[in-house]
Amino acid sequence: MDETDGGRLSRRTFLGVVAAATAGATACGAGGHDGAAARAGGTPASGPLLLPSASPSPDAAASPQPARYERLRPGDPAWRARSYGPADAIEGYCDRASVLPGHPVELRVSTTADRFRVTAYRMGWYGGAEARRVWRSEWLPGRRQGRGDLDGATRTVHANWRRSLTVPTAGWPEGAYLLRLDSAKGHQRYVPLILRSAEATGRTLLVHATATWQAYNQWGGYSLYYGRDGSYGARSLAVSFDRPYDKNGAEKFLVYERALVVLAERLGVPLAYTTGLDLTPELMKGAASIVFLGHDEYWTPQMRRQVTRARDAGSNIAFLGANTCYRRIRVENEGRLVVCYKDQYARDPMYGRRPPEVTADFRSAPAPDPESSLTGVYYDGFPADAPYVVAAPHHWLFEGTGVRRGDAFPHLVGVEYDRVTPSVPTPRPIEIIAHSPLMCGNRPSFADSAYYTTPSGAGVFATGTMRWVEGLRAGLPGGPRAHDMDARTRRFVTRTTSNLLRAFSRGPAGDHRAVPRDNVHAFYT
């Protein structure tokens, strides 16, 4: 039973929540740190993603098509960057993380070359090419721009670069895009851009985690995790979208999101696209399902309330990562600034004024409200690396996988994970369909995949592992080899995710799929 009252914990449950947070997540270095993401690497992978059959029509692909046929068009495998070069070789950022189709975007670029150009690629299936080129600029004069300014109060880096060009989006379909910057010296970087949907009625809404991308962005020497000296104490208390992303420019998208976009478009389910910072009741109204991708840690309280209401109105919800909805944030400066004080919450200007808006973790004081009341699972820690172990092989999500109880898929659980935790607010009945023993540092624990439904009929599924979307590319050239996941794991994750997306696209899963069998007592006493 969900033991919350008006979004807050009851007095009886509060002590259990605090105890679980202390003895669980913090015991093995929790806090939403995905150090293995860097080890996994964000380098674009070569080779197509092998998925269930859905043959496109050559005639349909050859003629002008409505948006639902976009996936059938020929692609361009040359979208992959070949050489990044030094960090300052070429880099850039947009004045908006997302826009509606047709709205122009201002792009700011710095390069050590005398010329550069920009190519826009829409990410999707495209016969396995995974992207289609939709636009390219002329060669433009290049110039070096500054390394940014630091706001001393919050240690926020702003690049404050001048506009280099305006990118038109007229005629571009909704979707996830990478703008590839090419310097005349042969170096390249990406700039991600989401062309969001205006409405998602009857469609599966893919939610891109732009706030989390920015939280981990170390450009200029500061993120919500580290300062220029590498210490946690010197980290930013607010981070700005007014700067490029570090590394290849789109690491979080490429590692945690791209493979799901490719699969969803390959399957042909009706799709809509947005970011977590653009979720509104109007957008989510009537959505068949809402899908959160591989790492979506940073949420506003408004976002959480609205997603909960969408669930209660019948929209299915899928959480395909772990550590979801863990950090409470505030967005300022017209969506360009993400504020999160974390354990320094007493310095937050909202402290003592509006406790539910203080940017501490959702489970923490001064207004504890653990994520588990929505996700069904509770973030338990970092780091972990363990096999994913099937507990309910006959569940409809595993149809066609051929799994048996106890079957294991090495390294699929990690590097952060969630579990069902009966002592915190958890929807009931809830069915644990995978129960994976692990060691979090020196502490034994478990990761769980779990499924529940609501009175509205909405189904809610959480994988309980951050590597799920990465698993869609396991065993492919350039895939997540650092985790040693194999082709068998890819086939399992692909079929299970396909079952999920197809079922959730049909409307409230409780109306056409078996209801969950509460089995928590079989695993936890």
Side-chain angles (χ1 to χ4, degrees), residues 13-50:
T13 306
F14 173 78
L15 292 178
V17 171
V18 173
T22 302
T26 56
C28 56
H33 176 75
D34 65 346
R39 296 191 291 275
T43 303
S46 60
L49 184 60
L50 304 178

Side-chain angles (χ1 to χ4, degrees), residues 9-27 326 345 361-370 378-379 421 423-425:
L9 289 178
S10 68
R11 182 180 297 272
R12 179 168 62 90
T13 306
F14 173 78
L15 292 178
V17 171
V18 173
T22 302
T26 56
Y326 184 72
Y345 59 83
D361 299 341
F362 272 102
R363 63 180 62 177
S364 301
D369 184 15
Y378 187 79
Y379 175 61
T421 304
S423 62
V424 301

Side-chain angles (χ1 to χ4, degrees), residues 113-130:
D114 60 355
R115 294 185 306 150
F116 75 96
R117 71 178 178 184
V118 183
T119 308
Y121 294 96
R122 184 184 182 277
M123 310 306 293
W125 169 238
Y126 300 114
E130 301 187 5

Side-chain angles (χ1 to χ4, degrees), residues 493-507:
V493 175
T494 298
R495 181 55 188 261
T496 302
T497 309
S498 299
N499 291 341
L500 173 79
L501 293 174
R502 285 173 169 146
F504 274 20
S505 73
R506 293 181 53 194

Side-chain angles (χ1 to χ4, degrees), residues 308-316 453-460 507-511:
T308 300
R309 289 168 185 163
R311 177 202 65 179
D312 294 345
S315 294
N316 301 307
T453 56
T454 68
S456 69
V460 180
D511 294 346

Side-chain angles (χ1 to χ4, degrees), residues 251-312:
E251 182 186 49
K252 290 293 182 284
F253 170 80
L254 289 166
V255 172
Y256 293 116
E257 304 188 3
R258 170 181 48 130
L260 191 281
V261 172
V262 170
L263 173 59
E265 294 216 347
R266 177 72 174 97
L267 295 175
V269 297
L271 296 174
Y273 308 81
T274 195
T275 78
L277 299 183
D278 294 302
L279 284 174
T280 63
E282 295 76 21
L283 170 63
M284 290 185 286
K285 184 177 181 180
S289 61
I290 304 170
V291 178
F292 299 91
L293 306 174
H295 192 187
D296 200 339
E297 179 179 351
Y298 287 77
W299 289 40
T300 66
Q302 296 83 357
M303 177 182 173
R304 179 166 172 180
R305 287 194 297 269
Q306 291 162 2
V307 172
T308 300
R309 289 168 185 163
R311 177 202 65 179
D312 294 345

Side-chain angles (χ1 to χ4, degrees), residues 97-122:
S98 73
V99 293
L100 293 168
H103 287 239
V105 178
E106 290 189 359
L107 185 61
R108 293 157 167 79
V109 177
S110 176
T111 178
T112 57
D114 60 355
R115 294 185 306 150
F116 75 96
R117 71 178 178 184
V118 183
T119 308
Y121 294 96
R122 184 184 182 277

